[in-house]
């Protein structure tokens, strides 16, 4: 459970998030909004990369904003980037290992943990492949793999479907729907693909110009007149 | 090249360097190779910071001087064995190296290069003002006349044995770097190089691992300084100028920062090439021109340095 209260983020004069309050309790939550609405900024505020000027983010009584970014990650806040962050000369296995290095998991359990995640993502055979030899879909899966190792509490996925083909989207959809049951983490999914959101998210939040304009059951949120006007155009 | 073959080559190289070179070389060359090995150790440190974090550090020469100062100071103040002097000089210098990382937490690129250059210039002035200890009295330990010499370990009192001793340290230093690259710090450094946000999101403490890289580089510089003090028996402040720091960094890049071979090549270029030119009766200033050309070459066509070009050559052969 994550509780966002009166969160405001400003980049100079630009108000990227304007007094956003929302309680995230469902297992898989959608976050949509037009380009520049503030979706990535919200994820960045969670991670500690956005200039928060007011408000709180709390989870189970812990104040996330008071923790440095790496401590939030170790606490269990995992996120993927809109532009995948895969190191050219690091193997897939070592990407996941790098995340585990900070989590204090006993050495003996690490290999099994990495295998479990790679098998879940169906990229176990890429274990030893370096980042530069991965195609777009494989890199995307490795990026999600970094989020899943080491017992995440909350997984924030920023447009994981960007640039994927239909067939790859099918795989991605299967992965996202099973994250909660397999890893116990809450998932926040940002995507422009409304079908994906409708399929996998029980509730959805809608941002527009930094304001939360709707939040509730996905079908209701998508049917909302204000949302239709803002998001789909008149 | 297969990893096993690679390790075998490295082993062969160091066996020759430790056991054969001291036997076959003459006095002049023994001293030149010793200096080359020592500066290769320091170059490995700058190369590490540049390769892993993309940060330019021009102050390595100052740290070599500091390591030499600590070793000389303790040499005259205590009876500690030389081996320990080298280790203590390394550790002390690594603490200072970690301090040098502080500007690197905020700056990169040209700005960081300039700051490190200023640091090197400051130390150049300090070394000139206080000189290196040579057995004199007081804290600075500088005697005006007839200074005393740095001890050498009892197993390596001759120049030939000291060459082997220095080569062993070089091998150990390069192994230390390799061990880092293959474990958690190496992974963390690569993640940081991708982007700091990426590293932080993966739970990596960016500040800590940057400081660690600088401390490791400082450790190598400090041991190099202590070894140099033993090799030359006394240190001269004029060897530790800021311009030498720039040269050391440039040659580390020319040699290649991504493998140990590059560090060895940097040592060879920095100390053996001038010795060779001297030996041929040509002014060793010619070496500076060669360095300039080599640097241009590296910048324009060989970002992975000469070591990288060798590697590419071998890989082409592998495929054929
Ligand atoms: N680092 C930054 N500096 C200045 N302004 C920024 C920065 N990051 C985001 N913004 C601004 O904040 C607003 C929200 O941007 P954000 O990236 O969060 O949008 P988004 O909803 O993720 O859009 P998209 O769908 O295009 O990814 C935009 O107006 C953007 O220009
Ligand atoms: Mg975005």
């Amino acid at each position: 459970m994550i509780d966002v209260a009166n969160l405001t983020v400003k980049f100079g004069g630009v108000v990227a998030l304007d007094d956003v309050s929302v309680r995230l309790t469902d297992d898989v939550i959608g976050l949509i909004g037009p380009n520049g609405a503030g979706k990535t900024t919200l994820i960045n505020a969670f991670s500690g990369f956005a200039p928060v000027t007011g408000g709180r983010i709390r989870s189970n009584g812990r104040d996330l904003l008071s923790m440095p970014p790496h401590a939030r990650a170790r606490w269990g806040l995992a996120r993927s980037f809109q532009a995948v962050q895969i190191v050219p000369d690091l193997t897939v296995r070592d990407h996941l290992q790098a995340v585990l290095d900070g989590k204090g998991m006993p050495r003996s359990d690490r290999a099994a943990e990495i295998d479990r995640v790679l098998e879940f993502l169906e990229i176990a055979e890429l274990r030893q492949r370096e980042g530069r030899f991965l195609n777009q879909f494989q890199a995307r899966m490795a990026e999600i793999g970094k989020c899943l190792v080491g017992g995440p509490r909350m997984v924030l996925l920023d447009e994981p479907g960007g640039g994927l083909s239909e067939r790859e989207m099918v795989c991605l959809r299967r992965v996202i729907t099973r994250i909660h049951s397999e890893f116990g983490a809450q998932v926040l999914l940002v995507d422009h693909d409304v079908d994906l959101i409708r399929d996998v998210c029980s509730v959805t939040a809608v941002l527009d110009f930094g304001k939360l304009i709707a939040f509730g059951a996905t079908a209701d949120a998508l049917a909302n007149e204000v949302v239709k006007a803002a998001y789909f155009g008149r | 090249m297969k990893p096993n073959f690679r390790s075998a080559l490295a082993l062969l190289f160091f066996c020759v360097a430790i056991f054969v070179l001291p036997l076959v070389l003459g006095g002049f060359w023994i001293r030149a190779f010793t200096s080359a090995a020592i500066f290769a150790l320091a170059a490995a440190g700058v190369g590490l910071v540049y390769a892993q974090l993309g940060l330019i550090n021009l102050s390595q020469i100052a740290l070599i001087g500091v390591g030499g100062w600590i070793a000389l100071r303790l040499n005259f103040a205590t009876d500690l064995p030389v081996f320990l002097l080298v280790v203590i000089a390394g550790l002390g210098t690594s603490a200072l190296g970690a301090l040098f990382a502080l500007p690197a937490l905020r700056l990169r690129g040209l700005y960081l290069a300039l700051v490190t250059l200023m640091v090197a210039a400051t130390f150049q002035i300090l070394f000139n003002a206080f000189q290196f200890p040579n057995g004199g009295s007081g804290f600075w330990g500088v005697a005006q006349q007839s200074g005393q010499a740095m001890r050498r370990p009892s197993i390596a009192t001759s120049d030939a044995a000291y060459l082997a001793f220095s080569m062993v340290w070089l091998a150990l230093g390069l192994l230390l770097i390799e061990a880092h690259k293959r474990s958690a710090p190496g992974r963390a450094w690569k993640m940081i190089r991708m982007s700091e946000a990426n590293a932080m999101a993966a739970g990596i403490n960016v500040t800590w691992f940057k400081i660690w890289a600088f401390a490791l580089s400082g450790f190598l510089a400090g041991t190099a300084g202590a070894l140099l003090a033993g090799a030359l028996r006394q240190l001269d402040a004029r060897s530790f100028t800021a311009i030498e720091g720039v040269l050391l960094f440039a040659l580390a890049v020319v040699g290649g920062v991504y493998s140990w071979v590059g560090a060895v090549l940097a040592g060879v270029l920095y100390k053996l090439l001038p010795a060779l030119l001297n030996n041929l009766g040509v002014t060793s200033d010619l070496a500076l021109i060669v360095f300039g050309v080599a640097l241009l070459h590296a910048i324009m066509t060989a970002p992975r340095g000469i070591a990288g070009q060798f590697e590419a050559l071998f890989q082409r052969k592998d495929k054929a």
Side-chain angles (χ1 to χ4, degrees), chain A residues 47 49 69-71 73-74 77-79 81 84-90 93-95 97-103 107 110 143 146, chain B residues 51-52 181-188 190-209 258 304:
Chain A
S47 308
F49 305 149
H70 70 270
R74 290 178 185 184
L77 187 86
R79 56 98 36 104
F81 289 86
V84 291
Q85 301 283 305
I86 292 298
V87 185
D89 55 346
L90 203 59
R93 194 191 71 95
D94 279 351
H95 277 90
Q97 183 80 51
V99 177
L100 285 181
D101 286 334
K103 293 229 173 175
R107 229 163 254 280
R110 291 185 191 173
E143 174 88 354
K146 288 194 292 179
Chain B
Q52 302 298 318
K181 282 191 188 171
R182 291 180 190 199
S183 53
R187 290 187 283 271
K190 282 185 179 168
M191 295 285 275
I192 294 172
R193 247 208 114 171
M194 181 79 221
S195 84
E196 294 191 10
N198 163 56
M200 290 190 271
I204 290 163
N205 186 339
V206 173
T207 306
W208 167 252
F209 279 105
Y258 295 96
R304 301 182 72 86

Side-chain angles (χ1 to χ4, degrees), chain B residues 57-288:
Chain B
N57 180 8
L58 303 177
S59 62
Q60 190 77 335
I61 196 76
L63 292 176
I64 300 175
V66 169
W69 191 92
I70 295 175
L72 284 167
R73 186 59 272 186
L74 291 176
N75 174 68
F76 298 115
T78 68
D79 287 325
L80 293 173
V82 174
F83 169 79
L84 261 186
L85 293 185
V86 178
V87 173
I88 294 172
L91 292 176
T93 311
S94 89
L96 189 64
L99 215 60
F100 283 13
L102 298 184
L105 299 179
R106 304 204 143 256
L107 302 173
R108 352 181 18 97
L110 188 60
Y111 300 100
L112 179 64
L114 286 175
V115 170
T116 58
L117 187 63
M118 306 270 272
V119 170
T122 307
F123 274 82
Q124 173 179 342
I125 294 168
L126 291 177
F127 290 140
N128 264 313
F130 296 105
Q131 301 293 323
F132 286 90
N134 59 3
S137 59
F139 178 75
W140 299 107
V142 180
Q144 291 314 322
Q145 278 138 21
S146 66
Q148 291 165 262
M150 168 90 182
R151 277 175 279 144
R152 283 182 179 179
S154 51
I155 47 159
T157 48
S158 73
D159 280 353
Y162 199 82
L163 169 59
F165 182 70
S166 306
M167 285 290 182
V168 168
W169 274 100
L170 174 59
L172 290 177
L174 296 175
L175 273 177
L176 185 65
I177 288 183
E178 209 50 41
H180 272 83
K181 282 191 188 171
R182 291 180 190 199
S183 53
R187 290 187 283 271
W189 289 330
K190 282 185 179 168
M191 295 285 275
I192 294 172
R193 247 208 114 171
M194 181 79 221
S195 84
E196 294 191 10
N198 163 56
M200 290 190 271
I204 290 163
N205 186 339
V206 173
T207 306
W208 167 252
F209 279 105
K210 275 190 183 175
I211 291 178
W212 190 336
F214 272 80
L216 177 59
S217 170
F219 178 80
L220 298 172
T223 50
L227 290 171
L228 193 65
L232 307 176
R233 315 308 287 258
Q234 285 181 347
L235 292 181
D236 184 337
R238 280 167 298 186
S239 329
F240 302 92
T241 57
I243 192 73
E244 297 293 317
V246 178
L247 205 54
L248 193 61
F249 174 80
L251 292 179
V253 172
V254 168
V257 290
Y258 295 96
S259 84
W260 64 272
V261 179
V264 170
L265 286 172
V268 165
L269 285 172
Y270 189 53
K271 285 295 165 188
L272 276 192
L273 185 65
L276 182 70
L277 293 175
N278 253 335
N279 210 33
L280 295 174
V282 190
T283 163
S284 54
D285 285 344
L286 197 61
L288 283 175

Side-chain angles (χ1 to χ4, degrees), chain A residues 13 112 173 203:
Chain A
R173 190 172 304 207
V203 299

Side-chain angles (χ1 to χ4, degrees), chain A residues 1-2 24-29 60 76 116-117 120-121 144 147-148 151-157 172-189 199-202:
Chain A
M1 202 274 289
I2 294 216
L24 307 173
T25 51
D26 282 51
D27 299 338
V28 186
I29 302 145
N60 306 317
R116 180 167 85 103
V117 169
F120 172 78
L121 295 169
I144 296 176
C147 298
L148 299 182
R153 293 167 199 251
M154 174 113 204
V155 175
L156 316 173
L157 300 173
L172 179 72
R173 190 172 304 207
R174 200 168 57 225
V175 162
I176 295 175
T177 37
R178 289 171 51 218
I179 287 179
H180 180 75
S181 58
E182 194 75 23
F183 297 92
Q186 218 180 346
V187 178
L188 179 75
L189 173 64
D199 279 2
V200 305
C201 305
S202 51

